[in-house]
């Protein structure tokens, strides 16, 4: 099912999730389980047709985007925000180590740098600089709410996917966010960047901006708005959310005995741990998604506004 993704939708998604996206500079975003309808069209525009896609851990089934909030334009690129199945299978034999899946949220600091520096596949990319919440699976070949969450820096960089396209059953990710295409790197000799990755990299590297925020959501989050842009949607809080509503959440978690930090209005590691623990306590281990929606809020006595 296809729908129009517009710059207004991106603003609403960030508003609904209380993400602190600035109006200047470029912001990266990922939509997990969502593909551009035109996988070859990587130019900037105010709207793009996209479609929800099933994640299979074998083919690129996600969208990576570049958003210029100050100009109201976006560019979309096919890629993946989940690890390839071959890494997942190998990691299962090591209790989940070796592959991971980044939780949805707002990540404030990806920086220009080299992915796999010093190796034959080293290439210009965008590097994680801080610990982030990830899931590791040790019981099957996908990532569920009952899989453990760790707070580490696994270097889930944004880089070239080493993939021909969405029908190619290969891409290079053990947890990184990757864009279809191939990089300029020592192992490819004098060959240049190619495919959507070339445009993604060149767009960002042509800017003086060195640090890029990254918004990661599910394609179904965008689809709900695309189906009815005027409908009111309840706010959501998740990793990277900021503001007064987060302070209310932290106080509610503290009152319930799950949070010991200050109510500082920043939904980071400590708040996420408290939310996961609360959800497991109230709803069971299969319900701890780390996202504060209407049910979790109601259990905490927290009122989420409709936006």
């Amino acid at each position: 099912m296809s729908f129009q993704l517009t710059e207004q939708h991106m603003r609403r998604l960030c508003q609904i999730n209380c993400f602190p996206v600035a109006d200047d500079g470029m912001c990266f975003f990922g939509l997990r389980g969502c593909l551009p309808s035109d996988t070859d069209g990587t130019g900037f525009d105010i709207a793009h047709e996209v479609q929800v896609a099933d994640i299979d851990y074998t083919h690129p089934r996600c969208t990576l985007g570049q958003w210029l909030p100050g100009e109201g334009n976006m560019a979309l690129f096919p890629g993946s925000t989940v690890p390839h199945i071959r890494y997942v299978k190998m990691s299962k034999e090591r209790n989940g180590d070796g592959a991971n899946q980044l939780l949805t949220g707002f990540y404030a600091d990806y920086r220009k740098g080299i992915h796999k520096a010093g190796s034959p596949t080293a290439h210009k990319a965008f590097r994680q600089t801080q610990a982030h919440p990830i899931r590791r699976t040790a019981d099957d070949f996908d990532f569920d709410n009952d899989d453990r969450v760790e707070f580490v820096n696994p270097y889930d960089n944004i880089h070239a996917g080493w993939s021909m396209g969405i029908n190619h059953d290969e891409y290079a990710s053990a947890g990184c966010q990757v864009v279809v295409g191939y990089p300029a790197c020592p192992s490819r000799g004098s060959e240049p960047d190619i495919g959507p990755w070339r445009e993604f990299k060149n767009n960002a590297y042509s800017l003086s901006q060195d640090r890029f925020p990254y918004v990661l959501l599910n394609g179904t989050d965008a689809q709900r708005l695309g189906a009815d842009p005027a409908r009111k949607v309840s706010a959501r809080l998740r990793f990277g959310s900021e503001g007064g509503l987060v302070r209310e959440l932290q106080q509610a978690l503290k009152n319930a005995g799950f949070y010991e930090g200050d109510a500082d209005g920043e939904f980071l590691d400590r708040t996420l741990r408290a939310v996961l623990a609360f959800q497991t306590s109230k709803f069971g281990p299969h319900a701890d998604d780390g996202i504060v929606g209407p049910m979790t809020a109601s259990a905490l006595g927290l009122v989420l506004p409709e936006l």
Side-chain angles (χ1 to χ4, degrees), residues 14-20 235-238 240-253 259 262-267 271 292 301-305 307:
C14 291
Q15 179 190 27
I16 288 165
N17 288 280
C18 299
F19 291 159
R236 297 287 193 278
L237 298 174
R238 65 183 86 204
S241 298
E242 288 187 5
L245 196 55
V246 176
R247 281 191 289 272
E248 292 180 30
L249 166 65
Q250 291 167 329
Q251 188 59 54
L253 288 166
Y259 182 73
D262 295 329
D264 58 7
E266 296 185 358
F267 194 136
T271 305
V292 180
L302 180 68
V303 177
L304 296 176
L307 305 171

Side-chain angles (χ1 to χ4, degrees), residues 253 256-258 273-289 296 299-300:
L253 288 166
F258 288 87
R273 291 180 192 274
V275 169
L276 291 169
F278 177 80
Q279 290 176 325
T280 298
S281 172
K282 287 292 183 179
F283 308 118
H286 296 278
D288 61 338
D289 62 2
T296 300
L300 281 166

Side-chain angles (χ1 to χ4, degrees), residues 143-176:
F143 294 82
D144 308 301
N145 290 341
D146 58 346
D147 291 323
R148 73 181 186 271
V149 174
E150 296 180 359
F151 296 85
V152 296
N153 186 353
Y155 299 103
D156 283 345
N157 303 328
I158 299 173
H159 64 81
W162 295 81
S163 173
M164 291 292 292
I166 62 171
N167 295 319
H168 189 192
D169 62 3
E170 182 63 46
Y171 60 87
S173 171
C176 289

Side-chain angles (χ1 to χ4, degrees), residues 212-247:
F212 299 84
Y214 177 52
V215 171
L216 177 60
L217 293 168
N218 292 314
T220 51
D221 296 322
Q223 183 191 35
R224 281 193 290 269
L225 290 185
D228 184 3
R231 71 187 286 251
K232 288 187 176 182
V233 179
S234 175
R236 297 287 193 278
L237 298 174
R238 65 183 86 204
F239 189 85
S241 298
E242 288 187 5
L245 196 55
V246 176
R247 281 191 289 272

Side-chain angles (χ1 to χ4, degrees), residues 24 38 54 60 72 75 79 87 124 137 171 183 226 245 249 255 259-260 274:
D24 58 339
D38 180 5
D54 291 331
Y87 294 105
K124 288 183 178 179
T137 180
Y171 60 87
L245 196 55
L249 166 65
N255 293 344
Y259 182 73
E260 297 179 355

